[in-house]
Amino acid sequence: MKKYALVTGSSSGIGLEIAKILASKGYNIILTARRKERLINLSKSIISDFKVDCDFISCDLSEKGTPDKIYEFCIKNKYEIEFLVNNAGYAIPSTFIETTMEDEEKFLRVLGISVIALTKLFLPAMIKNKNGRVMIISSVAAFAPPSSIQSLYGPIKTFMNRFSDSINSNYNKNGITSTAVCPGFTYTEFHTSSGVQKQMDSVPKFLKKSAKRVANEAVIDTLRGKSISIPTKTYKIFVFILKIVPIWVFSLLVRILAPGR
């Protein structure tokens, strides 16, 4: 039986780099994202570069029925998912009172509800096969003080970390591991597409990491079955400091290093 990895938000950035790394390890790849033309070209490139099968489904995870659509696509084509990468995400570049409830609901659907839905859909087959890897791209924001913008970003990432813990607690005995990957600032299209590039530009260069480096550490840690992955030593130290320094001190430091966030 061929092994498949499904990667959401895989048309660029961390998701794309994860897809390439998994392909290099022999996984056949299913790409999902909104930009169909880019997915067409990327799937051809992965097939050519890594000699694996690669298919795609263009979809929008902010729409309620999308997880079912992805699952049905895989079932129809007999793609048995062994490695599920919940990577899709974005940020809302406004304060809480400036956003509409519709904006917040779509945001929570992409970063939270779709993660739960896809995991719920693909987990039974993993349990049956006694083998499965779930990767959830979280963020160091899960550990950090609240932001002045993107009010729900940190809270939903904290929730995703706890959700990942629950998968491990309940299904490790069935051969399943879930890894919450918590990167810091990463060079991707995320900030431009989310309207927060100005804030990203103000962050010191030493805090910005490449998507390829983050993805490589994420894949290694997930294959090792680690429950939490914090890519790069910089952010391992960052999270350690968060746990021992009073929150008001860290909030001051964040305002200095990343003003406007």
Side-chain angles (χ1 to χ4, degrees):
M1 181 71 70
K2 288 184 176 181
K3 57 183 181 179
Y4 283 88
L6 170 67
V7 187
T8 70
S10 48
S11 61
S12 64
I14 295 172
L16 176 56
E17 295 301 331
I18 288 171
K20 290 179 179 178
I21 292 167
L22 290 175
S24 73
K25 294 181 179 297
Y27 283 90
N28 299 290
I29 305 297
I30 310 300
L31 304 171
T32 77
R34 292 177 299 172
R35 294 175 286 188
K36 185 175 181 179
E37 288 301 316
R38 183 174 288 198
L39 291 176
I40 291 172
N41 293 330
L42 288 174
S43 62
K44 290 178 180 177
S45 176
I46 288 174
I47 291 168
S48 174
D49 293 345
F50 301 103
K51 312 305 178 188
V52 296
D53 294 340
C54 183
D55 204 348
F56 68 89
I57 174 171
S58 175
C59 55
D60 186 347
L61 285 168
S62 71
E63 297 174 0
K64 189 174 181 180
T66 297
D68 287 326
K69 183 179 177 182
I70 293 171
Y71 179 71
E72 289 163 7
F73 172 82
C74 292
I75 294 299
K76 179 182 177 182
N77 291 284
K78 297 182 179 179
Y79 299 145
E80 195 162 275
I81 304 303
E82 182 179 308
F83 200 127
L84 173 63
V85 181
N86 292 293
N87 166 74
Y90 66 101
I92 299 177
S94 306
T95 62
F96 182 68
I97 62 170
E98 294 174 318
T99 57
T100 67
M101 195 59 223
E102 182 181 5
D103 289 337
E104 303 290 14
E105 287 177 355
K106 287 183 176 180
F107 174 80
L108 292 174
R109 193 170 290 123
V110 174
L111 278 76
I113 295 172
S114 71
V115 175
I116 296 169
L118 287 169
T119 305
K120 183 179 286 288
L121 288 164
F122 287 106
L123 195 57
M126 292 180 180
I127 293 171
K128 181 181 177 181
N129 295 329
K130 297 184 178 180
N131 183 34
R133 297 286 180 269
V134 178
M135 181 194 294
I136 299 172
I137 301 301
S138 182
S139 171
V140 294
F143 308 100
S147 170
S148 59
I149 58 174
Q150 306 172 41
S151 299
L152 295 183
Y153 190 82
I156 193 62
K157 294 302 187 181
T158 302
F159 175 32
M160 287 296 98
N161 285 9
R162 295 303 302 274
F163 171 66
S164 183
D165 286 341
S166 76
I167 297 300
N168 284 318
S169 295
N170 289 290
Y171 302 109
N172 272 177
K173 64 182 181 292
N174 301 106
I176 311 302
T177 64
S178 181
T179 302
V181 179
C182 301
F185 294 109
T186 308
Y187 288 108
T188 69
E189 296 177 13
F190 174 92
H191 302 90
T192 300
S193 62
S194 296
V196 292
Q197 188 60 49
K198 182 178 179 181
Q199 288 83 359
M200 178 62 168
D201 291 342
S202 69
V203 174
K205 189 174 181 180
F206 79 93
L207 290 176
K208 302 175 186 177
K209 309 302 179 181
S210 73
K212 186 173 183 179
R213 181 178 176 185
V214 169
N216 188 57
E217 292 193 32
V219 170
I220 290 171
D221 287 346
T222 303
L223 290 173
R224 288 176 176 171
K226 293 185 66 174
S227 59
I228 289 282
S229 170
I230 303 173
T232 77
K233 290 181 180 179
T234 300
Y235 284 102
K236 285 180 174 64
I237 294 170
F238 181 95
V239 171
F240 174 75
I241 292 173
L242 270 171
K243 294 177 179 179
I244 62 173
V245 172
I247 192 168
W248 69 267
V249 174
F250 198 84
S251 294
L252 177 62
L253 183 62
V254 168
R255 286 198 293 272
I256 294 171
L257 293 176
R261 298 190 71 83

